[in-house]
Structure formats: structure tokens, C-alpha cells
Amino acid sequence: MIVPIFLPHLGCGDRCIYCDQTFITHVGSGDMAAMVARYLGPVEGSIEVGLYGGNIFGLDPAALTRLFRFFDPYRDKISGFRLSTRPVPLTDETIQIMKENRVTQIELGAPCFNDPILHILNRRHTAADVKESFARLKAQGFQVALQVMVGLPEETMADIVDTADNLLLLAPDYVRVYPLAVLMGTPLETMYREGRFIPLSFEESVTRTAYIYLRCLQRSIKVVKMGLTDNEVIKERVVAGFHHPSFGYVVKSRAFCLAVIARIREKGMRGSITVEVNKKDVPHLVGHKRSNMGSFSKEGVEVAWQTGERREGSFLITYGTDRVEGSVFDALTMIPA
């Protein structure tokens, strides 16, 4: 069981242009102790503690040590810690303190590998910094994940390809993909209001995320999360971009739809077809609110489906006397890269 503790902007020093987290520059002992007691006190059995938000690497050694000391009364039930952070500054002292406190998993916010875009985002690190911190942490025995984003200012599809290429090169333990949303009260909102930033369409955001997802899936790199959740963003604060409660499902179903369409076009299919899938892939074939059925109709085919003993992500199309195999990876031929 993972118990999340959110530490908004802790240790950041600078604010990313898309961030609306409350600015916190130090660990306040009273509030922090009360928060830890509220979340950990009632829990029974062994737990992991997740420290999320902010930049824990930005804390000086004394502050980082003090942060972990708040958990001392509950050490008998804490099996370890996992945390999310910017990739810099990473010092030997920070590594040692994390080891002493049984930190096992670290999620590094990339969120892309384009230095000019990282500068626009006010991330205060480079792509090389991400790679260097990733390598150091892996060498020290930590499990390391990466968080990337789609829909960033000045982003092109070439940047998405570059992000996917770097994810495959680094081979993180898992990946999270977040579509950019414009939130009230952020510098990004100002850019949007002034016409200096135009968000992606929802469809393009889904397609770019699908590309990253499929490239990782090909290499068996887990994508554990796509999209924001209601715990991470309040819908009423989104002024542009998109927050969809089922974003990950939409991405997976869009990928499945594009894969089937790729095979339909390749074989010149028209009229009625039957698609056999694993029962777990039926929702991906049908699509969110049956949206894929409409896409298939536009291709000139009407789709019926049946389930069979097929590998997840694969499908078999029956078209008259023809039987055509395919997989979700066929979608990559439909995404301009």
C-alpha cells in the first residue's frame, strides 16, 4: 500500500510556467508533523510513503534530513519511500540521505528532451541533466521512472519522437505521460491570454501521447499513467488544454482504432468486417462512447466483433474469405513522425 504525501513546490526555488502549486520554501515542523500523523497514524500494516510534488533534490541536506525525521514515529510500518522530483541538483549527500531512509523509487520530471522548450518552461535544467541524474541514480541501485509531457510550447512531432527515442535509450522502470493543461493563475495562462501559446487540439494531444505509449510498449517499458487525475488538477481551474478523466483509456482506444484502420486501408476493405480480439480489448476496439465505430464507418466499413484466445493488443479481421492479422503497433504507421 502506498500512502501519498503531497509537498507542493517544496524545494523548487523557481516555478514552472504551468504550475499552480502553493509556494513552499521550507519544511514547517508543526504543519508537517500534523500532516504525517493524519495520513500515517490511522494506517495499519506495512506501507510505502510517496513524497510527491516540488523538488526534493532542491532541499539542502539539513532540510532533507529534517523532512525524513517527521516519519520516525511510524518507521515500524514504513517499508520504504518513493518520491518525485526535478533531476537537479543531485548531490552525493542527497543520495546518501535517501539510501539511509530507504528510498527505493524516484520519479524524475523530464518533461521533454528539448533544451529550448525546457528553458521556456523555466525548468532550470537541461536534457543532459536528466540523463546524468538518471544514470547516477540507477548506478546507486534506485528504481528510476520518468515523467514526460505532451503539448508543450513550441513542441513539434519531432520533439515527441525525440522524447520516445530517449525513453527507449534510458529504459526507465516506468513512465508517466501528462498532457499539458493551462491552469488559472499560472504564467502559462498569461501566455495563453496574450496569444503566445496555442494549446494542441484534444485529438492531437491523444495522438502524440499514443505515439509515446506505443513506442514504450514495443520495448516493454511500462506506461503506468497517461493524463491527469482529479487529485492532480481541479477541472474548474483548467482554462485551456484538456483534462479528461479517462485520458489513458482514450489514448489506448485511439491507438487500437488507428491500428485497425491501417489494416483496413492496406487491404482496401469495404462493407462488413468482423474483428476478433481479446475480451480485454473490446473497450479499446469500440472506443470511448463508441467513438471508434464512427471512425470505422468513415472508412466505409461496419465493424462487428467477437472475442477469442488472442494476445492483448492483437486482432484478426475477417473480410469475406480473407483473414488479416494485426496488432496495436500498426497504429504507428498512421502517426506522422
Side-chain angles (χ1 to χ4, degrees):
M1 177 181 179
I2 301 172
V3 177
I5 303 288
F6 292 95
L7 307 170
H9 216 88
L10 180 67
C12 284
D14 295 294
R15 180 186 184 188
C16 302
I17 65 170
Y18 49 78
C19 180
D20 73 338
Q21 293 181 347
T22 303
F23 194 97
I24 298 176
T25 57
H26 65 282
V27 180
S29 59
D31 291 342
M32 188 67 193
M35 180 168 61
V36 172
R38 183 169 67 253
Y39 284 106
L40 270 60
V43 179
E44 297 181 359
S46 179
I47 61 171
E48 279 189 280
V49 174
L51 302 177
Y52 302 126
N55 179 25
I56 286 179
F57 289 178
L59 296 175
D60 62 60
L64 183 57
T65 299
R66 187 165 65 250
L67 173 63
F68 282 113
R69 293 290 77 78
F70 290 119
F71 296 91
D72 283 350
Y74 311 97
R75 291 285 178 170
D76 59 336
K77 67 174 74 175
I78 298 175
S79 63
F81 290 84
R82 56 178 65 193
L83 56 89
S84 65
T85 180
R86 293 191 198 187
V88 294
L90 178 60
T91 66
D92 291 339
E93 287 178 293
T94 295
I95 290 173
Q96 185 59 36
I97 292 169
M98 290 192 298
K99 283 187 170 183
E100 291 171 354
N101 287 279
R102 293 181 294 177
V103 173
T104 58
Q105 290 190 358
I106 300 169
E107 296 185 17
L108 297 178
C112 67
F113 294 85
N114 178 311
D115 286 344
I117 293 178
L118 290 172
H119 179 73
I120 292 171
L121 298 176
N122 198 35
R123 290 290 295 179
R124 300 301 178 97
H125 66 77
T126 65
D129 291 330
V130 176
K131 296 174 184 178
E132 181 181 354
S133 291
F134 183 94
R136 287 183 67 189
L137 292 168
K138 290 294 287 186
Q140 292 294 326
F142 295 102
Q143 296 180 47
V144 188
L146 290 172
Q147 301 172 357
V148 297
M149 301 179 74
V150 299
L152 300 171
E154 300 188 11
E155 174 189 285
T156 67
M157 191 60 202
D159 295 310
I160 297 298
V161 174
D162 185 54
T163 291
D165 288 345
N166 277 285
L167 290 175
L168 269 56
L169 177 67
L170 295 172
D173 288 279
Y174 59 89
V175 173
R176 298 183 192 269
V177 186
Y178 296 113
L180 181 63
V182 181
L183 304 181
M184 284 190 285
T186 63
L188 185 62
E189 183 193 10
T190 301
M191 292 175 59
Y192 168 71
R193 300 291 187 192
E194 294 176 351
R196 294 184 288 121
F197 171 65
I198 301 174
L200 291 180
S201 68
F202 181 67
E203 182 174 347
E204 182 63 19
S205 181
V206 169
T207 299
R208 292 186 183 188
T209 304
Y211 181 85
I212 294 173
Y213 164 69
L214 290 171
R215 291 285 307 280
C216 288
L217 190 63
Q218 278 185 315
R219 292 289 188 87
S220 299
I221 298 173
K222 293 185 293 185
V223 180
V224 300
K225 177 70 176 175
M226 293 182 281
L228 300 168
T229 68
D230 287 330
N231 288 331
E232 294 165 305
V233 62
I234 304 301
K235 287 183 286 188
E236 290 73 15
R237 294 188 60 79
V238 177
V239 298
F242 297 92
H243 163 58
H244 194 294
S246 302
F247 188 79
Y249 164 50
V250 172
V251 169
K252 291 178 181 180
S253 63
R254 180 60 178 164
F256 213 96
C257 178
L258 290 175
V260 173
I261 288 175
R263 303 299 275 156
I264 288 172
R265 291 183 180 179
E266 179 185 354
K267 299 299 181 180
M269 299 177 188
R270 292 293 184 272
S272 298
I273 66 173
T274 300
V275 183
E276 182 182 294
V277 296
N278 183 291
K279 64 180 180 180
K280 293 183 179 179
D281 280 325
V282 171
H284 300 143
L285 175 66
V286 175
H288 185 254
K289 296 183 178 179
R290 298 182 61 85
S291 58
N292 288 355
M293 295 296 105
S295 296
F296 296 143
S297 292
K298 290 178 182 178
E299 296 294 322
V301 298
E302 296 301 320
V303 174
W305 67 86
Q306 61 187 34
T307 60
E309 297 299 319
R310 304 199 59 80
R311 186 181 70 256
E312 286 184 56
S314 70
F315 56 87
L316 173 67
I317 301 175
T318 300
Y319 173 57
T321 58
D322 291 338
R323 291 164 64 84
V324 179
E325 297 271 1
S327 83
V328 69
F329 299 118
D330 290 317
L332 288 169
T333 66
M334 300 285 290
I335 303 176

